Structures are given as C-alpha cells and as structure tokens.
Amino acid sequence: MDEFTTRMDVPMEHMRNLFGEYDTYIKKLEKDFHVMIINRDGVVKISGRREDVEKAAKTVRELVMLSERGTVLQEQNIDYAIELGKENQEEMLLAIDGDCICHTMSGKPVKPKTLGQKQYVDAIRNNMIVFGLGPAGTGKTYLAMAMAITAFKNNEVSRIILTRPAIEAGEKLGFLPGDLQSKVDPYLRPLYDALYQIMGADSFTKNMEKGLIEVAPLAYMRGRTLDNAYIILDEAQNTTRKSSRPMRIMRQKRTIILKTTTRNIEAGSLSMEENKEIIQNTKVITNTQVPGKEPAAPNVKNVKKTQTAEVVKNQEDIKEDMIRKDDEENGKKQKILKYLQFFLMFFLAGIIAGAGSFFYGCESADIICNTIMVMLGTGMVIFALFFSEVNNLYYYANQGKYGKFVLFYLAAMALSLVFPLLPVSGWPFLVVFVILSLFSNSISGLVAGSVCLMLPVILQNTGSSREFMLYFFSGLVGILVFSRLNEDFRVGLPVFISLICLTVCLSANIILFERERLSISQFTFVAINIMVNFILLMITLKIFNGSVIHRYRDRYMDLNDPEFPLLVQLKEYNKSEYYRAIHTAYLGDRIAKRLGINDVVVKACGYYHRIGILKGENTWDNVKLICEEYRIPEDTRKVLKEYLTRPDKVIAKETTVLMFADCIVRTILDEFSKDSKAELNYKQIIDTVFNKKMESGALSESDISIAQMREMRKLFKAEQLYYDFLR
C-alpha cells in the first residue's frame, strides 16, 4: 500500500509538551499507530498507511488542543488518547478534560481522566442511587468524595455520611486500644485521606465536630434515618444482608455504593443482584462499571506488568549487589597484599641496613642507629606511596601495583652495600633514582632513591653530605626528564640530559673538592660511571617499555582492527550494532587523543562495549566472558565494567569519553533511522546530550575536569562533517 503523509502546524510553545522528554510521547504514538512522526520547525509530518495516519493525526490534534488548555501532558494522557484514537473516540478526550468537579487544597483540579470515569460522574449527577464497580485504583472512592464535597459546599446537601464495612485487609488486627473513634479509624483511613486532600484538615475537623460530616463503620449505621444527605458506602463487596438492611434512607440527594471487583470478597457478602433486591422499590438506580483497562491510577494499571518490573528490578539489584561484593572482596585481597608487601619492604630494608653495618665493622650503637634510620626512611617511602595513591599521582598505571617497586627498592638497598668499596665517582645511582620513579612516581622515586643513597654515605668512613647532594641532584634531574614517557617512547633526549647532568656533577666534585692535582686518571671512574649508567638505563628502559608502556601494544593493534574476528562476528550478527561500535570507537579515539587520555583503551572500548549481545544480552557478565576468551587487556576491561555496571555514575576519564561518544552516535543514528535525509542540528544534539548527562548527575564522581569537559564538547562539535557519514 502506498505511503500517505499529512502535515499539521503545532505552536512551538506546545511542542515540548506534546513530544515529551526525549520524544517519549511521540515514540509511543509512532509505535501504537505504526506511523512515523517528524518535527521540522513547528510542522509535524506524519507518514504511514492512510488509515493509521488519520487516526494518529486526530489524536495529535486532540493532544495539542489539550495542551493549549494549559494541561501538562503526562504518559497517562498519552496512553488514554491512544486508546480513544484506536476506537475513533478521540474527541472525547477534550470532553473528559473539560469536566472539572472541584479543586484540591493545593489548587489541583479534580476531573475524570477516562471515559468510564466521565460516565461514572455523569451517573452520580443524574441518579439518586449509583452502584460503582471497578478494580482497585480506578478512582471510584476519590471521585465520589469529590462529588459529595462539591455538593456540600454548594449547599445541595446538609451533610455527608461516609461508611464502609470494618473489614481488615487480609489479616486480623485483633484488639485495638482507645475509644470508638480510635478503634474504627484504621478501617476508615482511605476516606480520611480523600477528605483531607480535597477539603483540608481544618475544614474537615470543624464540620466533623458539628456533625455535618460523619465517618462511621457500616455496623454502627443500624436504625439510622438519613435525610438530605450525601451517602457513600465504600467497599460494599464486603457487606452482608444483616449490615445492609438496617439503614433507612429518606429524601436523600445521593447514595453511592462502591464495590471493588478485584479484591477478595468476605464470606457471606452480598452480590450485586442481592443489593438491587434490597432496594427494589427504588427506580432511580444506575449501575456504572469503571473498566479496569482504563489507566485511572498509573501506579495500579497493569499490575502484572508492574510486578514483573519489580521482579526484574530485584534481580538487577541482586546482580549489582553481587558485583559490589565481588569488587569489595577483590579490594580487600588487594589491600591485604599491599600491606604485606609494605611490611616486608619495611623490615627487610632494616635487616639489609643492619647486616651491612655489621659487615663494615660498625659498633653496636651505630648498627642500631643505621638500622633505625633506614627503617624510618623506608617508612617515609611507604607514606609517599600512600599519599600518591590518595591524590592519584602515579604514572603509567602504577597505582596499586607495588610488587615491582618493592623488589627494585630492596635490590637497590642491597646493591648499595657494595658502593662504599668503590670510589665515590663510580656509584651508579642515577639509574637507581630513575628505576624507582618509573615504577611509582616522582615523589616516591625521589624519597626511595634518597634512602638507598643514604646507606652507603653513612657506611663510607669518609662519607659526607657532599656525596649525598652530588647524586641527589643528578638523580632529581633523571627523575624529572623521565617522568613523562608516551607511546612514542622517545628516550634519547632524557638519556642525554641525565648523563650530561651526572657528568657535570661528578666533574665538579673532582675539580672543586679534590685537593690533588688534576689528572686523567681522576676522570677514569667518571667515564666508567657514565658508561655503566648508560648501559643500565638502556636495559631498564627496554624492560619498562615492554612491561609497562607497550605491554599490550601488539594486542591492541589486533583488537583495534575492524577485521578482528570478534568484530566480524558482531557484523554478521547485527550490522547496526557493528556500525554503531565502529563510529563510537572512531569518535572516542579522536576525542581521547586531543584530551591526552588513553586513546587506545577508549578505542577498544568503543569497539567492544556492545559485544555482549553475541551471548544474548549486553550485560557485564557476558562481556566479561568474551573479554577472558579473547584476552582483552585489563585496562579495557575496567572501563567496560564501569560503563556497563554503573552508566549513571562514571568515574574514569576513559569511561566518560566512551559514554559521550556512544550517546551522541546513538542519538544521531536514531534520528537518521527515522529520516535518512533529515538535516540535523548536530550542535544542538551535542549540547542536549551534555546537558542531560550533567543534570542527571552522571558526572558527579568523574575524574574529568571542567576544562576537559568544555574542550570535549568543542571537539565533538568540530566533528560535524563526520556525522553526515552516519546516515
């Protein structure tokens, strides 16, 4: 069948009300009417089968007119408008909304919300006795109360009588303390709630004291003669013959008998036919059914659906608790391992210092003193490591990975025992400072190197602060020049600068402090020291490059290839998800590079953040299994886990970039799926995504700075030419 299209003008001030947040309402209309709805500068275009388009157009017009009346559209209005539209009764929407019964104390209008409620209210207006039947939550009691209070305020009746059987809701309450009113209050609380909301607590109390409003259980209505009163009998499904017969009704204005059809009925309760038989002489009776399908109360509608949602939510909560417990357990294990490593480092350093002092023939007092000094220094090293961890000062993802640092520190401490046997100009301490800083950070490396340097200076008989400062300065320069190595791993200049500084320091020591005549032999150890440091630096940097900088370089080269087998599987399984992953990876990679964030990890996460669908559902559990199977690096796994388990509260900078890249790509792809020729305002889309994420609190715990956020927004906007390729 040929596609039919219609257009209608919608004022811009009502567009947001009609479309809803994130176009929720329009998407619902599209789904239920099987049409496509597009907004272009106040003109709404509806396309699809002619019959569907006409129904959708009529419904949209009614919703616009409803919005023009000042009504804030809610999902409940949209759902009911769709139901009326499918039954060609969409014009009833305005009629229902126009019937305002009264206003609550807060000024909110009380009006019917469904066709069944409208018929129910009209029946109350036109009949003396009304039976109202319907499921719980369809507004029977509330609307009857509103009608009664309105009639009372308009002096149409002299008093309001509210009654209901004193039946517990599924369990026996037993003895209740207090006077008669206190005993029956629990059973009549639903009636009080409605009265307080519509009439107000003060007005209700005054009229209650005057006897103009009476709330009593049905059992205490025996022998009552009620004249010119508005009577509401609630929960009538639980009445019996004995409790129904005693009440005499004379010249009353209205009697409303409410029965809930979805609650358990007490044994011995009256049926509808029996109720009619009791008042058979009355001719002004109507039986109004409030259908259960009508969404009068959104929290009661579709009970099974709600219960299913609760079950799913509980399952998700259980899964989140399991993940949290696993994280806590892993965190505890890591913490125990960390403390054990620091404990060993602290005491082994003291043992090395004591053994070295004993080997060099120090007296007992000096051995104890040297041991305590080294242990105190090691304590400062541990403090520097903790301080760096708290303030996130580690380089090269060294945080939490202390094994190599502890090993190198103890090795350097043991090696420093040999240095007093060598001339001062032959100590290779430059490489010690550099190694310790590369596997921690500048602060920790400087403190650790200083403690290792302190020991041979103390053990050397002729040692002084001059030797300490000589290597401290050269070590400090080495730490600074090697503090920022990237994947290019250009180490030529840092090596040259550090060796030149060491040469200057050693030469200055000879020239300024040696009292003998200068000779070439004095510089022999300087040259040897430079060569030894150069060789050791090259070996150290090669190890560091392979184990830290490019630990996963080859693996990432394979993973970030669009033809990698895992991505090929995704393409064969779902092409739209594959292209979404490709675009997310491309954008994330470009943005991360310009922000100085780990672009390799962001790119890999862009490729594989949807890979869980290969196992049915894109959950972290499924993604984790795939990551283990394909040996995806740990850094990428951490970002994927954070994004999939807590997308509403991202922390890592890489996760933040991934989140925005994915949201922007998904939003643009969704728009193009509706109309591939649409001219989109990419800047507006990007601003909307950023504003929504910031308002939702998703960035409240993120490590990314405000300056980086601003820059990232600019970078995404600068990619406008690329977004056209998403069509």
Side-chain angles (χ1 to χ4, degrees), residues 614-650:
L614 292 178
K615 290 187 176 294
E617 189 178 356
N618 194 51
T619 62
W620 166 241
D621 291 336
N622 290 338
V623 173
K624 181 181 178 181
L625 292 175
I626 296 174
C627 288
E628 292 172 352
E629 181 180 353
Y630 284 87
R631 296 184 297 108
I632 291 178
E634 186 64 29
D635 292 341
T636 301
R637 295 190 198 187
K638 287 182 179 179
V639 174
L640 289 174
K641 180 181 180 181
E642 182 180 321
Y643 185 55
L644 293 174
T645 56
R646 43 177 302 170
D648 55 334
K649 290 286 183 183
V650 295

Side-chain angles (χ1 to χ4, degrees), residues 424-443:
V424 173
S425 57
W427 295 358
F429 261 104
L430 171 62
V431 71
V432 172
F433 277 90
V434 172
I435 288 176
L436 293 174
S437 66
L438 286 177
F439 287 96
S440 57
N441 63 350
S442 298
I443 297 174

Side-chain angles (χ1 to χ4, degrees), residues 20 171 506 645:
E171 57 179 306
L506 293 176
T645 56

Side-chain angles (χ1 to χ4, degrees), residues 128-148:
M128 180 181 294
I129 299 177
V130 177
F131 283 85
L133 286 81
T138 48
K140 302 182 300 299
T141 302
Y142 193 83
L143 290 174
M145 296 292 293
M147 293 292 292

Side-chain angles (χ1 to χ4, degrees), residues 146-202:
M147 293 292 292
I149 293 170
T150 302
F152 179 75
K153 288 181 177 180
N154 295 337
N155 296 318
E156 296 176 11
V157 295
S158 59
R159 56 180 173 162
I160 300 174
I161 308 295
L162 308 174
T163 183
R164 62 182 289 172
I167 301 296
E168 296 98 334
E171 57 179 306
K172 302 300 180 182
L173 299 180
F175 173 78
L176 294 175
D179 57 13
L180 175 63
Q181 193 65 40
S182 300
K183 292 179 185 295
V184 300
D185 272 354
Y187 303 103
L188 306 177
R189 182 53 55 188
L191 302 178
Y192 286 131
D193 294 339
L195 281 166
Y196 287 156
Q197 190 173 11
I198 299 174
M199 180 174 281
D202 292 339

